Amino acid sequence: MKSHKVTVIPGDGIGPEVIGATRKMIDATGVRIEWEEAEAGASVFRKGIASGVPNETIESISRTRCVLKGPLETPVGFGEKSANVTLRKLFETFGNVRPVREFPGVTTPFSGRGLDFVIVRENVEDLYAGIEYMQTPGVAECLKLISRKGCEKVVRLAFELARAEGRSSVHCATKANIMKLTEGFLKRTFEEIAKEYPDIQAHHIIVDNCAHQLAKKPEQFEVIVTTNMNGDILSDLGSGLIGGLGFAPSANLGDGIAIFEAVHGSAPKYAGKNVANPTAVALSGVMMLRYLGELEAASKLENAILFTFEEGKTVPRDVPGVQNPTGTAEFADAVIANLGKVPSKLAARNYKQIKIPSLPRDPVVVVPSNRRTVGCDIFLEAGCSANQLGEFLEKTAPAFGLKLKMISNRGTQVYPSKGANTDAVDHWRCRHLAIETFPDNACLANYLDAIEKAGFRWMHLEKLEEIDGSNGFTKAQGED
Ligand code: NAP
């Protein structure tokens, strides 16, 4: 029988208990796993390792390429980055897969409606790339970076997952109606890639309506693919529909690497009390077995968990209405005793092994036929009025080959005034167009100098690109 190497990180708080229980359940399926125990999280931060992830752990994961991870705490006062996010980003696990399936015997307002969908969330880009700046002392900025490559990988993952799980539809949830370039990139990529999966219905849905539909009629969804922040919010909403965090597993999937973990955190108040629900980690373990190609063992373990809930004799304390809840370890023992039994109401689906998309590791993914710079937005800090700034720039810009088109304040055109009632702050986007060709860098630098000499501080500059005949920038609210 094949043996698999897996790095196991017990983690913090309830982590060692729920991970210990899960290891026991997985080992009882008969699958041979060589567990490499590794450390990350609070204990590591306390040793003074700022990332919370020691080199030995990184080496182990680089070797095994598969991780079962307990929750990691980010103790207040120890570094500013989460060890969880560090692990996901270090190993480029680009897709976060979170199944939401109703549980027998776990009563919620949605029980009996057959909830069974999966959220596939982009896992490394978007606002969660964590690129933030104070633009002025009173205005903060976070960059929302979305790449064609990131979109393609997560969209392909969603369609491959739909195929592996025998699903018939994928919804793409975006805010493309407002953020046409960033959120729109996922929508456009989804519509393009969908053509390669004619066996699966592809629908686009605006993300706020998706949240509304999830609360109203969640059974209509099978697979939802979405950007990082949307996915973070929608998937916690999903966990809430089926009984809470104790039941929510997840997989972080990358190219030849995967990290399996519960959605929940370290629940410190329950640490060491043998009361935590190990189901979320155990179901993450089921996902791991499928990833490793151990489909039979995965279904056996999933069925045993579902059977145990269906029986209702041995259930954790977070199941609503339970009188005598069982402990973490005893629940694991009950599941092990039920290995081989098949629940009558809800059994494991028929899965195939998922084909994880792999794209060339080339940073250039889109090569346009033509592109040109047609202007630039200069972002300025100024405490004056829009008119004072506008009149100055209108007068000064032509000597540098530019003309001022408009000024906006937090996205709304304020100069020339359109009569908007904008409550301005000291952060102005000043849109310039090239009079003929776009000025060279030396000329631009001289223009920025002239602006600063007049008492306006420039903070950044964005070139306005025309790519294959389309504007690579959006208009301000009110801009013609
Ligand atoms: P949490 O640890 O998920 O706990 C929130 C609540 O969820 C608990 O108080 C408990 O609810 C319930 N809960 C969570 N897991 C449970 C389980 N297995 N069994 C039963 N109930 C469970 O969230 P938090 O308190 O916000 O975060 C605590 C620490 O975990 C923080 O340091 C945070 O940074 C970290 N965290 C880590 C991860 C990760 O490693 N992926 C994820 C999230 C948070 P009741 O109080 O209602 O019983």
Side-chain angles (χ1 to χ4, degrees):
M1 187 194 269
K2 197 178 169 199
S3 159
H4 307 274
K5 281 193 192 333
V6 172
T7 300
V8 59
I9 302 174
D12 303 316
I14 58 170
E17 294 158 78
V18 287
I19 287 282
T22 298
R23 267 178 74 166
K24 218 170 142 191
M25 291 184 246
I26 291 176
D27 287 339
T29 63
V31 169
R32 282 183 52 197
I33 299 212
E34 289 173 47
W35 302 98
E36 277 192 19
E37 202 157 313
E39 224 188 345
S43 57
V44 179
F45 282 117
R46 287 195 186 99
K47 282 183 198 161
I49 300 173
S51 66
V53 185
N55 285 341
E56 298 77 42
T57 301
I58 295 172
E59 282 159 20
S60 170
I61 300 173
S62 306
R63 224 176 8 251
T64 62
R65 318 289 294 171
C66 182
V67 185
L68 181 66
K69 186 181 103 30
L72 306 180
E73 191 189 319
T74 311
V76 178
F78 289 85
E80 54 179 55
K81 293 282 181 192
S82 141
N84 294 303
V85 179
T86 300
L87 276 172
R88 284 174 211 156
K89 287 180 96 82
L90 270 182
F91 293 99
E92 190 74 32
T93 55
F94 60 82
N96 182 257
V97 175
R98 292 201 191 174
V100 177
R101 196 174 189 211
E102 88 171 63
F103 265 77
V106 181
T107 309
T108 73
F110 296 92
S111 293
R113 287 168 59 168
L115 263 67
D116 184 4
F117 61 90
V118 187
I119 294 182
V120 181
R121 158 187 170 195
E122 198 291 319
N123 212 22
V124 288
E125 299 192 337
D126 196 5
L127 294 164
Y128 290 18
I131 308 170
E132 293 192 289
Y133 303 97
M134 290 309 292
Q135 294 278 289
T136 78
V139 179
E141 176 192 70
C142 177
L143 287 189
K144 181 175 170 81
L145 286 184
I146 304 270
S147 74
R148 171 68 173 74
K149 195 193 233 179
C151 292
E152 177 166 350
K153 288 199 284 190
V154 78
V155 164
R156 287 191 184 281
L157 181 66
F159 280 110
E160 289 298 336
L161 179 118
R163 275 196 179 157
E165 300 198 355
R167 312 258 185 183
S168 60
S169 73
V170 178
H171 281 80
C172 174
T174 76
K175 197 71 189 166
N177 52 331
I178 303 293
M179 288 167 272
K180 297 185 193 320
L181 298 183
T182 51
E183 291 279 316
F185 223 160
L186 185 71
K187 179 175 183 281
R188 290 191 297 280
T189 309
F190 175 76
E191 285 160 353
E192 205 183 300
I193 306 279
K195 295 183 190 125
E196 295 177 36
Y197 296 85
D199 48 319
I200 295 168
Q201 294 166 43
H203 310 280
H204 177 260
I205 184 165
I206 304 279
V207 67
D208 36 342
N209 182 33
C210 185
H212 166 237
Q213 294 294 332
L214 277 170
K216 214 175 135 192
K217 206 176 160 212
E219 60 274 24
Q220 70 186 287
F221 294 106
E222 290 192 277
V223 177
I224 300 171
V225 61
T226 188
T227 46
N228 202 341
M229 186 159 145
N230 291 338
D232 195 7
I233 298 165
L234 291 185
S235 50
D236 267 30
L237 193 166
S239 315
L241 300 177
I242 51 148
L245 289 171
F247 302 92
S250 85
N252 300 286
L253 302 178
D255 187 359
I257 193 139
I259 303 173
F260 298 87
E261 61 178 332
V263 170
H264 64 68
S266 59
K269 67 180 176 187
Y270 296 133
K273 296 188 175 150
N274 191 37
V275 295
N277 182 355
T279 304
V281 175
L283 290 174
S284 309
V286 168
M287 295 172 86
M288 182 183 89
L289 289 174
R290 288 200 175 105
Y291 173 80
L292 293 172
E294 299 287 356
L295 302 183
E296 215 175 292
S299 293
K300 191 166 147 188
L301 179 53
E302 187 175 1
N303 278 335
I305 294 169
L306 293 170
F307 187 92
T308 308
F309 277 104
E310 199 174 284
E311 238 186 355
K313 286 193 279 190
T314 335
V315 287
R317 56 154 279 291
D318 55 341
V319 172
V322 58
Q323 296 302 320
N324 297 304
T326 191
T328 311
E330 292 72 26
F331 180 78
D333 290 341
V335 170
I336 291 168
N338 287 332
L339 282 168
K341 296 184 183 157
V342 180
S344 61
K345 293 187 193 130
L346 190 76
R349 302 174 133 266
N350 270 331
Y351 291 86
K352 290 193 220 115
Q353 198 173 3
I354 183 168
K355 204 174 108 205
I356 310 282
S358 170
L359 265 67
R361 285 202 162 238
D362 183 345
V364 183
V365 283
V366 181
V367 184
S369 309
N370 58 69
R371 65 189 278 185
R372 66 188 185 109
T373 307
V374 294
C376 64
D377 281 351
I378 301 174
F379 289 76
L380 297 178
E381 177 180 347
C384 63
S385 73
N387 280 352
Q388 279 170 306
L389 184 60
E391 281 157 20
F392 165 76
L393 294 174
E394 234 161 30
K395 214 167 41 192
T396 314
F400 301 91
L402 294 167
K403 66 168 184 273
L404 181 73
K405 179 164 188 246
M406 65 97 207
I407 299 175
S408 71
N409 198 287
R410 286 163 304 134
T412 303
Q413 180 169 326
V414 288
Y415 183 87
S417 172
K418 292 270 180 143
N421 182 27
T422 306
D423 186 8
V425 297
D426 57 353
H427 182 270
W428 310 88
R429 172 176 57 166
C430 308
R431 176 154 291 178
H432 295 73
L433 297 180
I435 293 173
E436 284 172 11
T437 51
F438 189 68
D440 63 19
N441 291 346
C443 181
L444 268 182
N446 288 336
Y447 182 40
L448 295 176
D449 248 4
I451 290 173
E452 289 213 318
K453 282 201 181 99
F456 309 118
R457 180 186 150 266
W458 73 276
M459 56 195 90
H460 72 99
L461 181 150
E462 290 282 348
K463 284 185 177 172
L464 304 180
E465 296 283 296
E466 194 185 84
I467 299 171
D468 286 335
S470 300
N471 283 346
F473 51 94
T474 55
K475 286 191 167 157
Q477 218 70 46
E479 182 183 355
D480 295 319

Coordinates of all heavy atoms in Angstrom, one line a residue, residues 14 18 71 98-100 103 106 108 121 232-250 261-270 276-284 309 316-320:
I14 N -7.3 25.0 20.8 CA -7.9 23.7 20.7 C -7.2 22.9 19.6 O -7.6 21.7 19.4 CB -9.4 23.8 20.3 CG1 -9.6 24.7 19.0 CG2 -10.2 24.4 21.5 CD1 -11.1 24.6 18.5
V18 N -8.1 18.9 18.4 CA -8.8 18.6 17.2 C -7.9 17.9 16.1 O -8.4 17.0 15.4 CB -9.6 19.8 16.6 CG1 -10.8 20.1 17.5 CG2 -8.7 21.0 16.4
P71 N -5.5 25.4 14.0 CA -5.5 26.9 13.9 C -4.3 27.6 14.6 O -3.8 27.0 15.5 CB -6.8 27.2 14.8 CG -7.0 26.0 15.6 CD -6.4 24.8 14.9
R98 N -14.0 25.9 0.2 CA -14.8 25.7 1.5 C -16.2 25.1 1.2 O -17.1 25.8 0.7 CB -15.0 27.0 2.2 CG -13.8 27.7 2.7 CD -14.1 28.6 3.8 NE -13.1 29.5 4.2 CZ -13.2 30.5 5.0 NH1 -14.4 30.8 5.5 NH2 -12.2 31.2 5.4
P99 N -16.3 23.8 1.4 CA -17.6 23.1 1.2 C -18.6 23.6 2.3 O -18.2 23.8 3.5 CB -17.3 21.7 1.4 CG -15.8 21.5 1.5 CD -15.3 22.9 1.9
V100 N -19.9 23.7 1.9 CA -20.9 24.0 2.9 C -22.0 22.9 2.6 O -22.7 22.9 1.6 CB -21.5 25.4 2.6 CG1 -22.7 25.7 3.5 CG2 -20.4 26.5 2.8
F103 N -25.8 19.1 7.8 CA -25.5 17.9 8.6 C -26.7 17.3 9.1 O -27.6 17.9 9.7 CB -24.6 18.4 9.8 CG -23.2 18.2 9.5 CD1 -22.5 19.1 8.7 CD2 -22.4 17.1 10.0 CE1 -21.2 19.0 8.4 CE2 -21.1 17.0 9.7 CZ -20.5 17.9 8.9
V106 N -28.0 18.2 12.9 CA -27.6 19.5 13.3 C -28.7 20.5 12.8 O -28.7 20.9 11.6 CB -26.2 19.9 12.8 CG1 -25.8 21.3 13.2 CG2 -25.2 18.8 13.2
T108 N -30.7 23.7 11.9 CA -30.6 25.1 11.7 C -31.9 25.5 11.0 O -32.7 24.7 10.5 CB -29.4 25.3 10.7 OG1 -29.7 24.9 9.4 CG2 -28.1 24.6 11.2
R121 N -12.5 30.4 -3.3 CA -12.1 31.8 -3.1 C -10.7 31.9 -3.5 O -9.8 31.2 -3.2 CB -12.3 32.0 -1.6 CG -11.5 33.2 -1.0 CD -11.6 33.2 0.5 NE -10.6 34.1 1.0 CZ -10.3 34.1 2.3 NH1 -10.8 33.3 3.2 NH2 -9.5 35.0 2.8
D232 N -14.1 35.5 1.5 CA -13.9 35.4 2.9 C -15.3 35.6 3.6 O -15.7 34.9 4.5 CB -12.9 36.5 3.4 CG -12.4 36.3 4.8 OD1 -12.7 35.3 5.4 OD2 -11.7 37.2 5.3
I233 N -16.0 36.6 3.1 CA -17.3 37.0 3.8 C -18.3 35.9 3.4 O -19.0 35.4 4.3 CB -17.7 38.4 3.3 CG1 -16.7 39.4 3.8 CG2 -19.1 38.7 3.9 CD1 -16.8 40.8 3.2
L234 N -18.4 35.6 2.1 CA -19.5 34.6 1.7 C -19.3 33.3 2.4 O -20.2 32.6 2.8 CB -19.5 34.4 0.2 CG -20.0 35.6 -0.6 CD1 -20.0 35.2 -2.1 CD2 -21.3 36.1 -0.2
S235 N -18.0 32.8 2.6 CA -17.8 31.5 3.1 C -18.1 31.4 4.6 O -18.6 30.4 5.1 CB -16.4 30.9 2.8 OG -15.4 31.8 3.1
D236 N -17.9 32.5 5.3 CA -18.3 32.5 6.7 C -19.8 32.5 6.8 O -20.4 31.9 7.7 CB -17.7 33.7 7.5 CG -16.4 33.3 8.2 OD1 -15.7 32.4 7.6 OD2 -16.1 33.8 9.3
L237 N -20.5 33.2 5.9 CA -21.9 33.2 5.8 C -22.4 31.8 5.6 O -23.3 31.3 6.3 CB -22.4 34.1 4.7 CG -23.8 34.5 4.5 CD1 -24.0 35.6 3.5 CD2 -24.8 33.4 4.1
G238 N -21.7 31.1 4.7 CA -22.0 29.7 4.4 C -21.9 28.8 5.6 O -22.7 28.0 5.9
S239 N -20.8 29.0 6.4 CA -20.6 28.2 7.6 C -21.8 28.4 8.6 O -22.2 27.4 9.2 CB -19.3 28.6 8.4 OG -18.2 28.7 7.6
G240 N -22.2 29.6 8.7 CA -23.3 29.9 9.6 C -24.6 29.2 9.2 O -25.4 28.8 10.0
L241 N -24.8 28.9 7.9 CA -26.0 28.3 7.4 C -26.1 26.8 7.9 O -27.2 26.3 7.9 CB -26.1 28.3 5.9 CG -26.1 29.7 5.2 CD1 -26.1 29.5 3.7 CD2 -27.3 30.5 5.6
I242 N -24.9 26.2 8.1 CA -25.0 24.8 8.4 C -24.7 24.4 9.9 O -24.5 23.3 10.2 CB -24.0 24.0 7.5 CG1 -22.6 24.6 7.5 CG2 -24.6 23.9 6.1 CD1 -21.5 23.6 7.3
G243 N -24.6 25.5 10.7 CA -24.4 25.1 12.2 C -23.2 25.7 12.8 O -23.0 25.6 14.0
G244 N -22.4 26.4 12.0 CA -21.3 27.2 12.7 C -19.9 26.6 12.3 O -19.7 25.7 11.6
L245 N -18.9 27.3 13.0 CA -17.5 27.0 12.6 C -17.0 25.6 12.9 O -16.1 25.1 12.3 CB -16.6 28.0 13.3 CG -16.8 29.5 12.8 CD1 -16.0 30.4 13.8 CD2 -16.2 29.6 11.4
G246 N -17.7 24.9 13.9 CA -17.3 23.6 14.2 C -17.5 22.6 13.1 O -17.0 21.4 13.1
F247 N -18.2 23.0 12.0 CA -18.6 22.1 10.9 C -18.0 22.5 9.6 O -18.3 22.0 8.6 CB -20.1 22.0 10.8 CG -20.8 21.6 12.0 CD1 -21.2 22.5 13.0 CD2 -20.9 20.2 12.3 CE1 -21.8 22.1 14.1 CE2 -21.5 19.8 13.5 CZ -21.9 20.8 14.4
A248 N -17.1 23.5 9.6 CA -16.6 24.1 8.3 C -15.2 23.8 8.0 O -14.3 24.3 8.6 CB -16.8 25.7 8.4
P249 N -15.0 22.9 7.1 CA -13.6 22.5 6.7 C -13.1 23.4 5.5 O -13.9 24.1 4.9 CB -13.8 21.1 6.1 CG -15.2 21.1 5.5 CD -16.0 22.1 6.3
S250 N -11.8 23.3 5.2 CA -11.3 24.0 4.1 C -10.0 23.4 3.6 O -9.3 22.7 4.3 CB -11.1 25.5 4.4 OG -9.9 25.7 5.0
E261 N -7.2 22.7 6.5 CA -7.4 23.3 7.9 C -8.9 23.6 8.1 O -9.6 23.8 7.1 CB -6.6 24.6 8.1 CG -7.0 25.7 7.1 CD -6.2 27.0 7.3 OE1 -5.8 27.2 8.4 OE2 -6.0 27.7 6.3
A262 N -9.3 23.6 9.3 CA -10.7 24.1 9.6 C -10.8 25.6 9.4 O -9.7 26.3 9.4 CB -11.0 23.8 11.1
V263 N -12.0 26.1 9.2 CA -12.1 27.5 9.0 C -12.0 28.2 10.4 O -11.5 29.4 10.4 CB -13.5 27.8 8.4 CG1 -13.9 29.3 8.4 CG2 -13.6 27.2 7.0
H264 N -12.3 27.5 11.4 CA -12.3 28.2 12.7 C -10.8 28.5 13.3 O -9.9 28.0 12.7 CB -13.0 27.3 13.8 CG -12.5 26.0 14.1 ND1 -11.3 25.8 14.7 CD2 -12.9 24.7 13.8 CE1 -11.0 24.5 14.9 NE2 -12.0 23.9 14.3
G265 N -10.8 29.3 14.3 CA -9.6 29.6 14.9 C -9.3 28.8 16.2 O -9.8 27.6 16.3
S266 N -8.4 29.3 17.1 CA -7.9 28.5 18.2 C -8.8 28.4 19.4 O -8.5 27.7 20.3 CB -6.5 29.0 18.6 OG -6.7 30.4 19.0
A267 N -10.0 29.1 19.3 CA -11.0 29.1 20.4 C -10.3 28.9 21.7 O -10.6 27.9 22.4 CB -12.1 28.0 20.1
P268 N -9.5 29.9 22.2 CA -8.7 29.7 23.4 C -9.4 29.3 24.6 O -9.0 28.6 25.5 CB -7.9 31.0 23.5 CG -8.5 32.0 22.6 CD -9.3 31.2 21.5
K269 N -10.7 29.8 24.7 CA -11.5 29.5 26.0 C -11.8 28.0 26.1 O -12.1 27.6 27.2 CB -12.7 30.4 26.1 CG -13.8 30.0 25.1 CD -15.0 30.9 25.3 CE -16.1 30.7 24.2 NZ -17.2 31.6 24.2
Y270 N -11.7 27.3 25.0 CA -12.0 25.8 25.1 C -10.7 25.0 25.1 O -10.8 23.7 25.2 CB -12.9 25.4 23.9 CG -14.2 26.0 23.9 CD1 -14.8 26.6 22.8 CD2 -15.0 26.1 25.1 CE1 -16.0 27.2 22.8 CE2 -16.3 26.7 25.1 CZ -16.8 27.2 24.0 OH -18.0 27.8 24.0
A276 N -14.0 20.8 22.3 CA -14.0 21.3 20.9 C -14.6 20.3 19.9 O -14.4 19.1 20.1 CB -12.7 21.8 20.4
N277 N -15.3 20.8 18.9 CA -15.8 19.9 17.9 C -14.7 19.6 16.9 O -14.3 20.5 16.2 CB -17.0 20.6 17.2 CG -17.7 19.8 16.2 OD1 -17.2 18.7 15.8 ND2 -18.8 20.3 15.6
P278 N -14.3 18.4 16.7 CA -13.2 18.1 15.7 C -13.7 17.9 14.3 O -12.9 17.6 13.4 CB -12.7 16.8 16.3 CG -13.8 16.1 16.9 CD -14.8 17.1 17.4
T279 N -15.1 18.1 14.1 CA -15.6 17.8 12.7 C -15.0 18.6 11.6 O -14.7 18.0 10.6 CB -17.2 18.0 12.8 OG1 -17.7 17.2 13.8 CG2 -17.8 17.6 11.5
A280 N -14.8 19.9 11.9 CA -14.3 20.7 10.8 C -12.9 20.3 10.4 O -12.6 20.2 9.2 CB -14.2 22.2 11.3
V281 N -12.0 19.9 11.3 CA -10.7 19.5 11.0 C -10.8 18.1 10.3 O -10.1 17.8 9.4 CB -9.7 19.5 12.2 CG1 -8.4 18.9 11.8 CG2 -9.5 20.9 12.7
A282 N -11.7 17.2 10.9 CA -11.8 15.9 10.3 C -12.3 15.9 8.9 O -11.8 15.2 8.0 CB -12.8 15.1 11.2
L283 N -13.2 16.8 8.6 CA -13.7 17.0 7.2 C -12.6 17.6 6.3 O -12.5 17.3 5.1 CB -15.0 17.8 7.1 CG -16.2 17.1 7.7 CD1 -17.4 18.0 7.7 CD2 -16.5 15.8 6.9
S284 N -11.7 18.4 6.9 CA -10.6 18.9 6.1 C -9.7 17.7 5.8 O -9.1 17.6 4.7 CB -9.8 20.0 6.9 OG -10.7 21.0 7.4
F309 N -23.4 11.6 13.3 CA -24.3 12.7 13.5 C -25.8 12.2 13.4 O -26.7 12.6 14.1 CB -24.1 13.8 12.6 CG -23.0 14.7 13.1 CD1 -21.7 14.7 12.6 CD2 -23.2 15.6 14.2 CE1 -20.7 15.5 13.1 CE2 -22.2 16.4 14.7 CZ -20.9 16.4 14.1
P316 N -20.9 16.6 19.6 CA -20.2 17.6 20.3 C -21.1 18.7 20.9 O -22.3 18.8 20.5 CB -19.3 18.2 19.2 CG -19.4 17.4 18.0 CD -20.7 16.6 18.1
R317 N -20.6 19.5 21.7 CA -21.4 20.5 22.5 C -22.0 21.6 21.6 O -22.9 22.3 22.0 CB -20.7 21.0 23.7 CG -19.4 21.7 23.5 CD -19.1 22.7 24.6 NE -19.8 24.0 24.3 CZ -19.5 24.8 23.3 NH1 -18.5 24.5 22.4 NH2 -20.1 25.9 23.1
D318 N -21.4 21.8 20.4 CA -21.9 23.0 19.6 C -23.1 22.6 18.7 O -23.6 23.4 17.9 CB -20.8 23.7 18.8 CG -20.0 22.7 17.9 OD1 -20.1 21.5 18.2 OD2 -19.4 23.2 17.0
V319 N -23.6 21.3 18.9 CA -24.8 20.9 18.2 C -26.0 21.5 19.0 O -26.1 21.2 20.2 CB -24.9 19.4 18.0 CG1 -26.3 19.0 17.5 CG2 -23.8 18.9 17.1
P320 N -26.9 22.3 18.3 CA -27.9 22.9 19.1 C -28.9 21.9 19.8 O -29.1 20.9 19.2 CB -28.7 23.7 18.0 CG -27.9 23.7 16.8 CD -26.9 22.6 16.9

